Amino acid sequence: MALTNSSLIPTKSLLQTYPQSFLTKPKSPSVLRVSAVHSADTPKNPISADKSPKQQPAPPLATKSAAVTAPSQNVAPGKWTLDGWKSKTALQLPEYPDQADLESVLKTLEAFPPIVFAGEARSLEERLAEAAVGQAFLLQGGDCAESFKEFNANNIRDTFRIVLQMGAVLMFGGQMPVIKVGRMAGQFAKPRSEPFEEKNGVKLPSYRGDNINGDSFDEKSRIPDPQRMIRAYCQSAATLNLLRAFATGGYAAMQRVTQWNLDFTEHSEQGDRYRELAHRVDEALGFMAAAGLTIDHPIMTTTEFWTSHECLLLPYEQSLTRLDSTSGLYYDCSAHFLWVGERTRQLDGAHVEFLRGVANPLGIKVSDKMDPNQLVKLIEILNPQNKPGRITVIARMGAENMRVKLPHLIRAVRRAGLIVTWVSDPMHGNTIKAPCGLKTRPFDAIRAEVRAFFDVHEQEGSHPGGVHLEMTGQNVTECIGGSRTVTFDDLGSRYHTHCDPRLNASQSLELAFIIAERLRRRRISSQQPLAPSLGL
């Protein structure tokens, strides 16, 4: 869903793009009864949603280049089916005590409309292909984990607004399109390092996200409840509806660039820097108007905005996967962009098996533990046709490891001839525990990792394609440091996260200016030198 004026509400053109069969309820009440081909494959005979698996032509097997050797056995991806992941080892999934309730919820979700559309996901893939070759920059950000308690229009607006501000700063510095993707409208589930949590001698299942169980430390709250998936769907759809309105209803118009400042950043160093930039944009718009150039074109009054989340709760993801009648491919319609995490990216695991068959653009989170050859194999499984924009590699490893480990990953991918978009996640490799016991992230460490990311790509001659941030538009005190210094003592005053610490709006904007300066320097250094003087 690029959130543009064409995707705000179902229009005639939209219905033509996504025929009625795309929205119809599948015949099977438990799973969608269709087999798909590889997301990157174009089927010779597009699959009809009305055909049963026995009636469908068998999809082509994966090419030899996509065959993968796991540590203990050969794994050939082969034919993909919607529920084929169930035959694989699935990590990080909850154990629901009431299976009948779970089946009932999944049947309900299968009958619900898609949250996003296939054509919107394809548009995002095209934009990401531009980022892969240095012609665009990805800004992906939002909550660590969305919550039911903090769900309100103001929070959604504030996060959207800080993304707009950061996008304006990056676009101005880099002089290139900025692809805005939110960790919003579906980012609920979180992987956990331990299945249980213990406090004062009481041991309970870990909190796994509001779409699975509750964060209150009591036995009832921690029991996985399938009904939470229904609420998560409804909240995601409502969030997306508001984002569409903001993106296309005039709020995101470039003429409003001076009005996007959040109140609490207005009288700060970053607020002042942003206001100066906004005035320069205003002057440019005034010049355009005076020259007779229209500034009421949709490109100036709307913005494209996509949604993303980690593909973790596979029963939910399967229930929202739909067959796109125009391409004959499957799309997970819970979000435009999905990523597989560090804990669930096993080559022969359930999450990789599910994701290889959906056509959404995909992300792969990699830490310093990632072996270069394993990364190549994983990319070949998920993108056997080497389609540009399909794969985004999101590095999360800390500044020192970034300088040591990332070059080897870049070289391995380059040697294999694979096309990916390289993105930095400077958050997850920099989490520490404060003296008070709360988790936090030092802004200096986040900044250092971003700088290392750009330095490595400059050294390797590759393209830094974007950043992936856990951030909020709220005035929280969760990450220490920044120009408006948040100290360890400040953490308890406005520490609202349900999971990991997030950058607040001021810190996010400060980081955007740092990145914009690197993009500006990169742009200037890449420009062709002027022709030599003729001695005049």
Side-chain angles (χ1 to χ4, degrees):
M1 131 214 139
L3 296 187
T4 62
N5 54 351
S6 64
S7 61
L8 179 59
I9 56 174
T11 61
K12 182 178 180 181
S13 61
L14 186 62
L15 291 174
Q16 289 173 343
T17 305
Y18 307 107
Q20 187 63 28
S21 62
F22 185 81
L23 303 176
T24 55
K25 176 182 176 181
K27 289 185 176 182
S28 168
S30 57
V31 294
L32 297 178
R33 299 183 60 193
V34 221
S35 295
V37 297
H38 266 296
S39 61
D41 295 337
T42 303
K44 296 179 180 178
N45 300 302
I47 302 166
S48 168
D50 295 329
K51 291 184 179 180
S52 67
K54 291 182 179 179
Q55 293 172 309
Q56 294 163 10
L61 293 176
T63 60
K64 185 175 181 181
S65 64
V68 182
T69 303
S72 59
Q73 59 181 340
N74 291 329
V75 180
K79 182 179 179 180
W80 183 88
T81 57
L82 187 55
D83 62 349
W85 62 268
K86 294 179 181 178
S87 65
K88 305 286 186 177
T89 301
L91 302 181
Q92 297 288 333
L93 292 187
E95 295 182 8
Y96 291 98
D98 190 337
Q99 288 296 309
D101 191 22
L102 174 62
E103 288 299 319
S104 175
V105 164
L106 295 179
K107 290 177 183 178
T108 299
L109 288 170
E110 287 173 4
F112 281 177
I115 296 177
V116 305
F117 292 110
E120 297 167 344
R122 283 193 290 272
S123 295
L124 173 59
E125 187 176 65
E126 293 170 1
R127 303 294 188 277
L128 291 172
E130 295 172 357
V133 294
Q135 296 178 2
F137 194 81
L138 171 65
L139 172 60
Q140 187 172 11
D143 267 316
C144 165
E146 294 176 281
S147 73
F148 295 159
K149 295 176 184 176
E150 295 187 2
F151 173 53
N152 64 68
N154 289 340
N155 288 345
I156 297 169
R157 178 204 61 204
D158 289 349
T159 297
F160 180 72
R161 180 160 53 172
I162 192 64
V163 170
L164 289 179
Q165 283 187 288
M166 295 174 72
V169 170
L170 295 173
M171 186 165 56
F172 198 84
Q175 299 290 295
M176 67 171 62
V178 174
I179 308 160
K180 294 178 280 294
V181 179
R183 289 175 55 115
M184 304 172 75
Q187 176 55 21
F188 291 99
K190 292 295 293 182
R192 309 306 303 195
S193 55
E194 297 294 337
F196 292 95
E197 180 182 357
E198 188 171 343
K199 290 183 181 179
N200 302 320
V202 179
K203 188 176 182 180
L204 294 175
S206 295
Y207 168 64
R208 292 184 175 273
D210 275 10
N211 62 342
I212 295 174
N213 58 2
D215 64 335
S216 297
F217 194 75
D218 60 76
E219 187 174 358
K220 182 179 180 181
S221 296
R222 293 302 174 90
I223 296 174
D225 180 3
Q227 295 296 329
R228 285 176 168 269
M229 286 189 276
I230 300 290
R231 186 170 178 183
Y233 170 92
C234 293
Q235 181 168 321
S236 298
T239 298
L240 188 54
N241 184 57
L242 188 60
L243 288 171
R244 291 183 190 274
F246 284 144
T248 64
Y251 187 86
M254 192 56 69
Q255 294 91 319
R256 291 177 54 90
V257 67
T258 58
Q259 301 172 37
W260 291 340
N261 240 353
L262 293 157
D263 295 339
F264 60 86
T265 63
E266 192 168 351
H267 303 292
S268 68
E269 178 185 347
Q270 306 312 319
D272 292 342
R273 292 179 70 184
Y274 178 78
R275 191 159 42 250
E276 179 183 349
L277 180 147
H279 286 321
R280 293 172 68 183
V281 172
D282 265 351
E283 289 177 355
L285 293 175
F287 173 80
M288 289 171 59
L293 300 174
T294 178
I295 59 173
D296 57 0
H297 189 278
I299 200 171
M300 300 298 293
T301 58
T302 66
T303 191
E304 290 184 318
F305 194 88
W306 289 272
T307 63
S308 66
H309 63 252
E310 180 173 358
C311 178
L312 198 60
L313 188 55
L314 291 179
Y316 178 83
E317 303 298 342
Q318 177 186 327
S319 67
L320 288 175
T321 298
R322 304 286 186 266
L323 180 68
D324 174 32
S325 56
T326 57
S327 66
L329 301 176
Y330 274 103
Y331 284 82
D332 184 340
C333 296
S334 66
H336 302 104
F337 179 100
L338 302 161
W339 70 86
V340 62
E342 173 77 7
R343 296 183 178 96
T344 54
R345 55 171 173 75
Q346 297 79 18
L347 296 180
D348 57 351
H351 292 80
V352 170
E353 173 62 24
F354 173 78
L355 286 172
R356 76 179 180 90
V358 296
N360 306 60
L362 304 175
I364 302 171
K365 286 284 191 87
V366 300
S367 72
D368 58 301
K369 300 180 182 67
M370 172 60 88
D371 176 76
N373 293 327
Q374 291 290 96
L375 177 59
V376 169
K377 292 174 182 177
L378 182 54
I379 294 169
E380 289 176 342
I381 290 173
L382 295 175
N383 190 22
Q385 300 300 313
N386 200 20
K387 188 176 183 183
R390 162 74 169 170
I391 298 296
T392 297
V393 178
I394 307 167
R396 38 150 294 182
M397 52 185 70
E400 291 185 11
N401 284 325
M402 182 75 76
R403 295 185 184 278
V404 174
K405 301 289 186 177
L406 184 59
H408 297 289
L409 298 180
I410 293 173
R411 293 167 195 168
V413 170
R414 179 186 288 146
R415 281 195 302 269
L418 301 175
I419 303 170
V420 304
T421 304
W422 294 100
V423 168
S424 169
D425 168 2
M427 309 297 294
H428 286 86
N430 295 300
T431 306
I432 62 173
K433 182 171 283 190
C436 63
L438 293 172
K439 288 192 295 185
T440 188
R441 289 162 171 159
F443 183 82
D444 287 349
I446 293 170
R447 177 176 54 197
E449 183 162 350
V450 169
R451 286 175 172 166
F453 177 72
F454 275 89
D455 288 347
V456 167
H457 282 288
E458 186 173 326
Q459 162 195 316
E460 296 297 321
S462 47
H463 301 289
V467 289
H468 180 115
L469 306 172
E470 290 186 344
M471 46 172 274
T472 176
Q474 301 171 55
N475 187 21
V476 299
T477 53
E478 297 170 2
C479 292
I480 59 173
S483 59
R484 300 183 73 178
T485 308
V486 177
T487 66
F488 284 128
D489 293 335
D490 296 325
L491 290 178
S493 61
R494 293 183 302 278
Y495 195 96
H496 302 316
T497 182
H498 284 250
C499 197
D500 293 333
R502 304 161 294 178
L503 295 170
N504 62 29
S506 178
Q507 292 165 330
S508 300
L509 202 53
E510 183 174 353
L511 190 61
F513 277 110
I514 292 169
I515 297 170
E517 176 59 24
R518 290 302 299 256
L519 291 174
R520 187 188 71 83
R521 285 165 48 187
R522 185 177 177 86
R523 169 173 55 85
I524 291 173
S525 66
S526 66
Q527 289 174 344
Q528 293 293 330
L530 296 175
S533 170
L534 297 179
L536 299 177

